[in-house]
Every structure is written in structure tokens, then in C-alpha cells.
């Protein structure tokens, strides 16, 4: 007998419907699967075979042919185990007919347990859009499906549950939103109120967040660079629904959804170590999974100890920083994942860490300091608008018992500045000051005569490059927006010039 069961395929962010067809007929016992990539076929066969036998069902001693259609679509992963099993049981008449508005996804263990898989959210969205009204999938993936409407999700732990439901012996309840309360709704554990003093550094973070500017911090060990960086997501504007969905899809595909979280509502903070592999960073595997650059999408990518990152790694970041996407080419296919993030870097000023420290002596030679700084990728640094020095925290500030300003209050000002930008870029693909095109920079960053004079003198005394000039204009625009000023005034420019400390000092 012939049967056809629905499932879903995925490659990168692209999803498509898959038909799993099974034919069980007389003849010498044989089990063939066609339409799957060769290496996964034998494993799928073994799992399906054992799962059926270990659950008191009969593995037909007949000729079994399973076909996964359409042939030209990539079928990677292990999530076809469950639909293959259901198709075989149906073709051998062990279960009643399954309506064609029902789909199945799931990997099997040999004992029939259904294992969690990756990419379930985009697959369920695809199913719902194609008229599927019921879907059976691993219990471990249930949380990420609750925001998809128009489809009943049956979250299952083993094949017995699926079969009992289809047979009508024990019906399952579909997953409800209430079963997965989102505890982490826009709540950040780390808050700027814990950072004592460091007013200038915090102000720079606020400016960076307000305009979407990349930022680099230079400071001695223990000055609080990591502490500051971790708190940036808490002052960025709240994620929009679209941003949440984009980010959640990436986490679903990467298999990185936190337990029982159905939607990512807090901006990601990713901090890859400098020993990260190129694949870990950009994404990889024969079927490329998203890497750190995509897991940071709509959030912050933090590169701590920037000079330790090899050139090969920092060069990989240039394209996503410019375009907001990363393309991964493989023999099988090219996959692209969104990767638009705010870049935050930190470094010590020299190998020993104390160059320029007010009380501790730097033990490095001048050439050692220069060599250390030269390790930072020029092209990467070129894409950073704001440089700051983080001094050691002042004892008098730590001593204070009172809390510093809360992230929520800083965020209010950031939001107000972003609203001005939303209006400014209403008809442009640009979404914040940091991303202005050269033409937009000219159009929106007109200076008063006094401000113009100030930039000129800074330019001459610091011998800045043309690139630095545009950065100063863009950052001045953000500072003026925070000030709710239409015109860029001398005080705005003066602050923006202060954020070019690396041009002045070392480069
Ligand atoms: N301004 C501050 N207010 C309160 N605590 C602080 C402050 N600065 C630093 N600390 C404390 O010092 C610890 C070390 O800070 P952090 O790890 O952020 O320093 P760092 O600059 O990243 O150092 P390294 O260069 O060694 O990575 C923090 O975990 C925090 O407990
Ligand atoms: Mg640190
Ligand atoms: Zn030193």
C-alpha cells in the first residue's frame, strides 16, 4: 500500500514542504530510502527500524520503498525519522489514515523517544502558510512554536504518544501559549545602575546606543570594560516584533533556544573568544548553521581583548559589518543569514595593561606597545565611530552606597533620539545615524559656522583622515539628537572629536 505524509525541509532560512511517500509491497524483504543524502540514509533506516520494533509494532517483512519529494530540494538533518516511521506504519495498515493537513518533524532514538531538532520555528511557520493545521514535533521544541497562529502543535516525547493519538486510544492536547509563560520578557539581568562612577564611559555608551555606533574601549585590567559592554543591550531600544522573530529564527536553526523560551525578546550579547574558529564565527558545517555573527543579530557583538583576534578572523567580519548579512558558500549550496549587530570592542592599552595608568607603572617598551596596537585590524577599526578610554574606577565612586542611574532611564533618552532618526530616515533603508550614506551625511549633518571652525581646528591639530571626518559628523548628529537640537552646535562637535582618541594617540 502507498501512503504520503507531510513534512518540512529547511536550508539556511529557506523552508519548503516535503512529501514523505512510502510503498510497502510484496517481494523480498528490502528497505530503500530515496531522496535523502547518502550518509544519512542508513542511519535513518536503523533508527526507524529499531523504533518500530521496540514499540511493539511490526516492521513489515516486505519490500519497503520510501521517497522524499521533491527530489531537487535539499533534505538535510534528522527530522524525517518521524514522518518516515508514520508513512511505513500507514502503508502497512497499522494505523488509520492521517489527514493531509497534518505534518510531522522529529528525530528518533532507537527506543522510540523523539529528540529535539533545530530549525523548528521557521519550519512551523512554513507549514502553517501551506495549509497544515496540525503538526507533531518534539516536546523539546514546543516553546518556540507558541507564537505561530493557525496551527495546532502536538508536542510529543515518544512514538507511542503519536500512535495512540492517531489511533484514537489516547488523544493529546495541543500546546497552549499559557504553558510557556515568557519569564524573560524584555528583562535584562545586568543593569547600568551597578556601574559606579565612569560617567564619561557611560555617556559614550549612551551616544553609541542612541545612534547605533560601533564603539571601542581602551583601559587597564579591571577598569570595568567587560562590565560596561555587557550592559549595552539594556539601553538599546526594545526589540520590535520583527526583530524578535528574526533573532528567534536564527537561534532555532542554531539549536540555541534557551529552555522553555518561546521568543527572544532581549537583545543578544555575544562574546566570542579570540580562539573562535572561522566556522564558529561566520557559521559552518556541511549544512551551515548560524555562527556568532548571526547569533548577535539585532544585538551586540563584543570582541574582548581585540588585539588577540587573528587577522583572518577580524577580516571575516568586514562584510557583515557593512551589509548586515553573512553569506556562507558550501559545495551543496550558499546560505545567507542576517547578521546586523552593534560592534563593541575592548582592549588593554599595551601588553602589560598599564600604559597611561595614573598610579601603576607600565613595564612595556615603546616598540612593544606599538606592536601591540598594530595588531588591531585597521579596516575593522575604520568601522568604529567611537573610541573611549576607560580609566580605573575612582575609589570615591565605589565607596558610594547609592545606586547609579538605571538602564531604563538611559534607554528613555536613547529612544527619544531614535525616534528623531526614525522620522529622518522614514523613506530610506538607513535606520540610524551610524548607517548614514555619504550623501545622507552631507544632507543631515550641516554645521553652524562656529561648529565648522571647531572641526577644522581639530582636524589640523590631530591630522585626521577623511574617514574620521565623516565619523565625527555622524556622531555629532547623534549627540545633537540626544540634545533634541535640529542644528549641530559646537558643543556637539567638541564631544564627537573627543571620541577619536585612538586617531590622536596612536594611529
Ligand atoms: N565602575 C564600577 N563599578 C562597580 N564595580 C566595578 C566597576 N568597575 C569594575 N568593577 C568591578 O570590577 C570587576 C572587573 O571589571 P571588568 O571585568 O569589567 O574589567 P575589565 O576592564 O574588563 O578587565 P580586563 O581588562 O581584565 O578584562 C567587575 O566585575 C566589577 O565587579
Ligand atoms: Mg574584561
Ligand atoms: Zn605596558
Amino acid at each position: 500500500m502507498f501512503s504520503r505524509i507531510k513534512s518540512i525541509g529547511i536550508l539556511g532560512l529557506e523552508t519548503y514542504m516535503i512529501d514523505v511517500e512510502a510503498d510497502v509491497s510484496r517481494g523480498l524483504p528490502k528497505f530503500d530510502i530515496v531522496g535523502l543524502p547518502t550518509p544519512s540514509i542508513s542511519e535513518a533506516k536503523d533508527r526507524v527500524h529499531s523504533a518500530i520494533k521496540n514499540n511493539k509494532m511490526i516492521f513489515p517483512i516486505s519490500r519497503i520503498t520510501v521517497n522524499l519529494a521533491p527530489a531537487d530540494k535539499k533534505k538535510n538533518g534528522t527530522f524525517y525519522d518521524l514522518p518516515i516511521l508514520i508513512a511505513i506504519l500507514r502503508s502497512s495498515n497499522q494505523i488509520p489514515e492521517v489527514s493531509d493537513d497534518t505534518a510531522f518533524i522529529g528525530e528518533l532514538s532507537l527506543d522510540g523517544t523523539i529528540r529535539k531538532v533545530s530549525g523548528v520555528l521557521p519550519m512551523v511557520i512554513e507549514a502553517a502558510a501551506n495549509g497544515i493545521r496540525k503538526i507533531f514535533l518534539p516536546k523539546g521544541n514546543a516553546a518556540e512554536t507558541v507564537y505561530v497562529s493557525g496551527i495546532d502543535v502536538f508536542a510529543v516525547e515518544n512514538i507511542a504518544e503519536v500512535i495512540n493519538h492517531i489511533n484514537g486510544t489516547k488523544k493529546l492536547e495541543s500546546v497552549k501559549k499559557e504553558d510557556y509563560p515568557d519569564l524573560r520578557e524584555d528583562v535584562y539581568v545586568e543593569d547600568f545602575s551597578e556601574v559606579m562612577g565612569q560617567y564619561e564611559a557611560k555617556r559614550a555608551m549612551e551616544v553609541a546606543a542612541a545612534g547605533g555606533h560601533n564603539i571601542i574601549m581602551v583601559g587597564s585590567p579591571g577598569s570595568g570594560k567587560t562590565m560596561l559592554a555587557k550592559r549595552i543591550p539594556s539601553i538599546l531600544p526594545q526589540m520590535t516584533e520583527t526583530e524578535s522573530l528574526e533573532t528567534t529564527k536564527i537561534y532555532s536553526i542554531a539549536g540555541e533556544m534557551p529552555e522553555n523560551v518561546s521568543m527572544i525578546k532581549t537583545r543578544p550579547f555575544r562574546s566570542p573568544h579570540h580562539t573562535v574558529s572561522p566556522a564558529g564565527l561566520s557559521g559552518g558545517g556541511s549544512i551551515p548553521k548560524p555562527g556568532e555573527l548571526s547569533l548577535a543579530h539585532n544585538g551586540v557583538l563584543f570582541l574582548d581583548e581585540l588585539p588577540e583576534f587573528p587577522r583572518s578572523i577580524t577580516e571575516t567580519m568586514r562584510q557583515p559589518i557593512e551589509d548586515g548579512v553573512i553569506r556562507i558558500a558550501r559545495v551543496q549550496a550558499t546560505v545567507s543569514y542576517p547578521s546586523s549587530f552593534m560592534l563593541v570592542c575592548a582592549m588593554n592599552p599595551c601588553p602589560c595593561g598599564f600604559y597611561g595608568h595614573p598610579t601603576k607603572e607600565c613595564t612595556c617598551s615603546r616598540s612593544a606597545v606599538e606592536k601591540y596596537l598594530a595588531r588591531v585590524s585597521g579596516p575593522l577599526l575604520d568601522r568604529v565611530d567611537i573610541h573611549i578610554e576607560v580609566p580605573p574606577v575612582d575609589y570615591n565612586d565605589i565607596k558610594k552606597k547609592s545606586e547609579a542611574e538605571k538602564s531604563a532611564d538611559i534607554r528613555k533618552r536613547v529612544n527619544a533620539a531614535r525616534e528623531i532618526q526614525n522620522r529622518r530616515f522614514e523613506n530610506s533603508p538607513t535606520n540610524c545615524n551610524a548607517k548614514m550614506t555619504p550623501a545622507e551625511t552631507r544632507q543631515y549633518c550641516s554645521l553652524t559656522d562656529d561648529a565648522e571652525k571647531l572641526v577644522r581646528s581639530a582636524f589640523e591639530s590631530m591630522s585626521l583622515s577623511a574617514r574620521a571626518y565623516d565619523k565625527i559628523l555622524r556622531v555629532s548628529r547623534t549627540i545633537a539628537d540626544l540634545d533634541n537640537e535640529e542644528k549641530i552646535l559646537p558643543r556637539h562637535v567638541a564631544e564627537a572629536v573627543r571620541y577619536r582618541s585612538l586617531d590622536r594617540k596612536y594611529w
Side-chain angles (χ1 to χ4, degrees), residues 293 296-299 320 323-325 338-342 431 435:
L293 298 176
H297 181 56
N298 292 322
D323 305 340
V325 294
S339 50
S340 166
F341 46 78
M342 180 173 157
N431 59 3
K435 305 243 166 77

PDB file of all heavy atoms in Angstrom, residues 293 296-299 320 323-325 338-342 431 435:
ATOM      1  N   LEU A 293      28.358  35.632  14.513  1.00  0.00           N
ATOM      2  CA  LEU A 293      27.986  36.890  13.867  1.00  0.00           C
ATOM      3  C   LEU A 293      26.482  36.981  13.644  1.00  0.00           C
ATOM      4  O   LEU A 293      25.907  38.069  13.656  1.00  0.00           O
ATOM      5  CB  LEU A 293      28.709  37.049  12.523  1.00  0.00           C
ATOM      6  CG  LEU A 293      30.238  37.104  12.575  1.00  0.00           C
ATOM      7  CD1 LEU A 293      30.825  37.164  11.183  1.00  0.00           C
ATOM      8  CD2 LEU A 293      30.704  38.303  13.388  1.00  0.00           C
ATOM      9  N   ALA A 296      24.446  37.182  17.053  1.00  0.00           N
ATOM     10  CA  ALA A 296      24.445  38.541  17.607  1.00  0.00           C
ATOM     11  C   ALA A 296      23.456  39.455  16.871  1.00  0.00           C
ATOM     12  O   ALA A 296      23.333  40.627  17.214  1.00  0.00           O
ATOM     13  CB  ALA A 296      25.849  39.141  17.537  1.00  0.00           C
ATOM     14  N   HIS A 297      22.765  38.929  15.863  1.00  0.00           N
ATOM     15  CA  HIS A 297      21.854  39.745  15.044  1.00  0.00           C
ATOM     16  C   HIS A 297      20.858  40.517  15.924  1.00  0.00           C
ATOM     17  O   HIS A 297      20.235  39.948  16.809  1.00  0.00           O
ATOM     18  CB  HIS A 297      21.105  38.820  14.075  1.00  0.00           C
ATOM     19  CG  HIS A 297      20.167  39.542  13.162  1.00  0.00           C
ATOM     20  ND1 HIS A 297      20.566  40.564  12.334  1.00  0.00           N
ATOM     21  CD2 HIS A 297      18.832  39.404  12.957  1.00  0.00           C
ATOM     22  CE1 HIS A 297      19.523  41.013  11.653  1.00  0.00           C
ATOM     23  NE2 HIS A 297      18.454  40.331  12.021  1.00  0.00           N
ATOM     24  N   ASN A 298      20.746  41.794  15.664  1.00  0.00           N
ATOM     25  CA  ASN A 298      19.890  42.710  16.436  1.00  0.00           C
ATOM     26  C   ASN A 298      20.379  42.960  17.860  1.00  0.00           C
ATOM     27  O   ASN A 298      19.625  43.472  18.699  1.00  0.00           O
ATOM     28  CB  ASN A 298      18.424  42.232  16.488  1.00  0.00           C
ATOM     29  CG  ASN A 298      17.751  42.319  15.131  1.00  0.00           C
ATOM     30  OD1 ASN A 298      17.997  43.266  14.389  1.00  0.00           O
ATOM     31  ND2 ASN A 298      16.923  41.344  14.808  1.00  0.00           N
ATOM     32  N   GLY A 299      21.608  42.559  18.133  1.00  0.00           N
ATOM     33  CA  GLY A 299      22.145  42.776  19.470  1.00  0.00           C
ATOM     34  C   GLY A 299      23.576  43.284  19.406  1.00  0.00           C
ATOM     35  O   GLY A 299      23.941  44.029  18.494  1.00  0.00           O
ATOM     36  N   PRO A 320      29.844  41.407   7.013  1.00  0.00           N
ATOM     37  CA  PRO A 320      28.620  41.576   7.805  1.00  0.00           C
ATOM     38  C   PRO A 320      28.490  42.964   8.431  1.00  0.00           C
ATOM     39  O   PRO A 320      27.393  43.492   8.524  1.00  0.00           O
ATOM     40  CB  PRO A 320      28.723  40.490   8.881  1.00  0.00           C
ATOM     41  CG  PRO A 320      30.058  39.889   8.741  1.00  0.00           C
ATOM     42  CD  PRO A 320      30.582  40.211   7.404  1.00  0.00           C
ATOM     43  N   ASP A 323      27.255  45.053   5.413  1.00  0.00           N
ATOM     44  CA  ASP A 323      25.993  44.686   4.763  1.00  0.00           C
ATOM     45  C   ASP A 323      24.921  44.141   5.695  1.00  0.00           C
ATOM     46  O   ASP A 323      23.769  44.002   5.300  1.00  0.00           O
ATOM     47  CB  ASP A 323      26.236  43.614   3.689  1.00  0.00           C
ATOM     48  CG  ASP A 323      27.281  44.049   2.682  1.00  0.00           C
ATOM     49  OD1 ASP A 323      27.513  45.274   2.592  1.00  0.00           O
ATOM     50  OD2 ASP A 323      27.863  43.184   2.005  1.00  0.00           O
ATOM     51  N   GLY A 324      25.291  43.766   6.901  1.00  0.00           N
ATOM     52  CA  GLY A 324      24.301  43.196   7.821  1.00  0.00           C
ATOM     53  C   GLY A 324      23.891  41.771   7.480  1.00  0.00           C
ATOM     54  O   GLY A 324      22.923  41.254   8.035  1.00  0.00           O
ATOM     55  N   VAL A 325      24.589  41.130   6.549  1.00  0.00           N
ATOM     56  CA  VAL A 325      24.321  39.709   6.286  1.00  0.00           C
ATOM     57  C   VAL A 325      25.635  38.982   6.093  1.00  0.00           C
ATOM     58  O   VAL A 325      26.644  39.593   5.741  1.00  0.00           O
ATOM     59  CB  VAL A 325      23.492  39.424   5.009  1.00  0.00           C
ATOM     60  CG1 VAL A 325      22.092  39.936   5.101  1.00  0.00           C
ATOM     61  CG2 VAL A 325      24.176  39.936   3.775  1.00  0.00           C
ATOM     62  N   PRO A 338      21.079  36.736   8.337  1.00  0.00           N
ATOM     63  CA  PRO A 338      21.243  38.132   8.741  1.00  0.00           C
ATOM     64  C   PRO A 338      22.250  38.233   9.875  1.00  0.00           C
ATOM     65  O   PRO A 338      22.316  37.342  10.730  1.00  0.00           O
ATOM     66  CB  PRO A 338      19.836  38.532   9.209  1.00  0.00           C
ATOM     67  CG  PRO A 338      19.096  37.269   9.444  1.00  0.00           C
ATOM     68  CD  PRO A 338      19.735  36.212   8.606  1.00  0.00           C
ATOM     69  N   SER A 339      23.046  39.270   9.868  1.00  0.00           N
ATOM     70  CA  SER A 339      23.984  39.470  10.969  1.00  0.00           C
ATOM     71  C   SER A 339      24.261  40.964  11.074  1.00  0.00           C
ATOM     72  O   SER A 339      25.303  41.448  10.652  1.00  0.00           O
ATOM     73  CB  SER A 339      25.260  38.666  10.786  1.00  0.00           C
ATOM     74  OG  SER A 339      25.778  38.884   9.515  1.00  0.00           O
ATOM     75  N   SER A 340      23.290  41.657  11.617  1.00  0.00           N
ATOM     76  CA  SER A 340      23.403  43.086  11.800  1.00  0.00           C
ATOM     77  C   SER A 340      23.482  43.327  13.304  1.00  0.00           C
ATOM     78  O   SER A 340      22.552  43.014  14.036  1.00  0.00           O
ATOM     79  CB  SER A 340      22.167  43.741  11.181  1.00  0.00           C
ATOM     80  OG  SER A 340      22.070  45.051  11.606  1.00  0.00           O
ATOM     81  N   PHE A 341      24.623  43.810  13.742  1.00  0.00           N
ATOM     82  CA  PHE A 341      24.827  43.939  15.188  1.00  0.00           C
ATOM     83  C   PHE A 341      25.576  45.222  15.465  1.00  0.00           C
ATOM     84  O   PHE A 341      26.115  45.862  14.561  1.00  0.00           O
ATOM     85  CB  PHE A 341      25.655  42.744  15.711  1.00  0.00           C
ATOM     86  CG  PHE A 341      26.846  42.432  14.861  1.00  0.00           C
ATOM     87  CD1 PHE A 341      28.004  43.199  14.944  1.00  0.00           C
ATOM     88  CD2 PHE A 341      26.811  41.379  13.944  1.00  0.00           C
ATOM     89  CE1 PHE A 341      29.096  42.926  14.153  1.00  0.00           C
ATOM     90  CE2 PHE A 341      27.920  41.103  13.133  1.00  0.00           C
ATOM     91  CZ  PHE A 341      29.062  41.887  13.240  1.00  0.00           C
ATOM     92  N   MET A 342      25.582  45.600  16.743  1.00  0.00           N
ATOM     93  CA  MET A 342      26.429  46.704  17.154  1.00  0.00           C
ATOM     94  C   MET A 342      27.745  46.071  17.615  1.00  0.00           C
ATOM     95  O   MET A 342      27.745  45.150  18.417  1.00  0.00           O
ATOM     96  CB  MET A 342      25.742  47.436  18.307  1.00  0.00           C
ATOM     97  CG  MET A 342      26.502  48.601  18.830  1.00  0.00           C
ATOM     98  SD  MET A 342      25.435  49.449  20.034  1.00  0.00           S
ATOM     99  CE  MET A 342      26.705  50.274  20.960  1.00  0.00           C
ATOM    100  N   ASN A 431      18.632  53.089   9.002  1.00  0.00           N
ATOM    101  CA  ASN A 431      17.752  53.131  10.173  1.00  0.00           C
ATOM    102  C   ASN A 431      18.357  53.847  11.374  1.00  0.00           C
ATOM    103  O   ASN A 431      17.688  54.054  12.376  1.00  0.00           O
ATOM    104  CB  ASN A 431      17.288  51.725  10.560  1.00  0.00           C
ATOM    105  CG  ASN A 431      18.457  50.813  10.868  1.00  0.00           C
ATOM    106  OD1 ASN A 431      19.606  51.242  10.837  1.00  0.00           O
ATOM    107  ND2 ASN A 431      18.179  49.566  11.174  1.00  0.00           N
ATOM    108  N   LYS A 435      24.534  54.450  10.215  1.00  0.00           N
ATOM    109  CA  LYS A 435      24.456  53.800   8.901  1.00  0.00           C
ATOM    110  C   LYS A 435      24.214  54.786   7.764  1.00  0.00           C
ATOM    111  O   LYS A 435      23.957  54.367   6.637  1.00  0.00           O
ATOM    112  CB  LYS A 435      23.331  52.756   8.920  1.00  0.00           C
ATOM    113  CG  LYS A 435      23.459  51.727  10.036  1.00  0.00           C
ATOM    114  CD  LYS A 435      23.632  50.311   9.485  1.00  0.00           C
ATOM    115  CE  LYS A 435      24.090  49.332  10.524  1.00  0.00           C
ATOM    116  NZ  LYS A 435      23.026  48.898  11.426  1.00  0.00           N
TER     117      LYS A 435
END
